């Protein structure tokens, strides 16, 4: 089963770090003021984990599809 990332948007501080680390996976929704997952398969799990580890709000999590 694949693991895919999701963002707890209520906790997101819209810092942009995840979109910078994995631009094919995460993008900023400037209007709404939080980040969104645009393609959960846009990077390797290691790269996504790096974005998770760097998130200052610790609001990116794994879920099993
Ligand atoms: S790194 Fe975390 S706090 Fe920053 S934009 Fe991404 S989800 Fe939001």
């Amino acid at each position: 089963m694949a693991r895919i990332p999701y963002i707890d948007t209520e906790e997101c501080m819209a810092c942009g770090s995840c979109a910078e680390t994995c631009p094919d996976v995460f993008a900023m929704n400037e209007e709404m003021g939080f980040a969104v997952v645009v393609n959960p398969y846009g990077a390797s799990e290691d790269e996504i984990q790096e974005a998770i580890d760097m998130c200052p709000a610790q609001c990116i999590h794994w879920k099993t599809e």
Side-chain angles (χ1 to χ4, degrees):
M1 262 192 291
R3 287 199 305 171
I4 60 170
Y6 74 95
I7 294 172
D8 180 350
T9 50
E10 289 199 359
E11 299 294 326
C12 174
M13 307 176 345
C15 72
S17 166
C18 56
E20 220 167 274
T21 307
C22 293
D24 294 331
V25 177
F26 304 104
M28 302 310 297
N29 186 327
E30 307 283 353
E31 240 167 70
M32 304 295 282
F34 51 72
V36 293
V37 175
V38 287
N39 177 9
Y41 305 107
S44 69
E45 286 201 3
D46 282 354
E47 288 168 314
I48 293 172
Q49 185 62 53
E50 195 183 327
I52 289 174
D53 292 343
M54 285 172 61
C55 172
Q58 298 188 345
C59 65
I60 311 173
H61 308 283
W62 288 110
K63 68 177 174 186
T64 309
E65 253 192 323

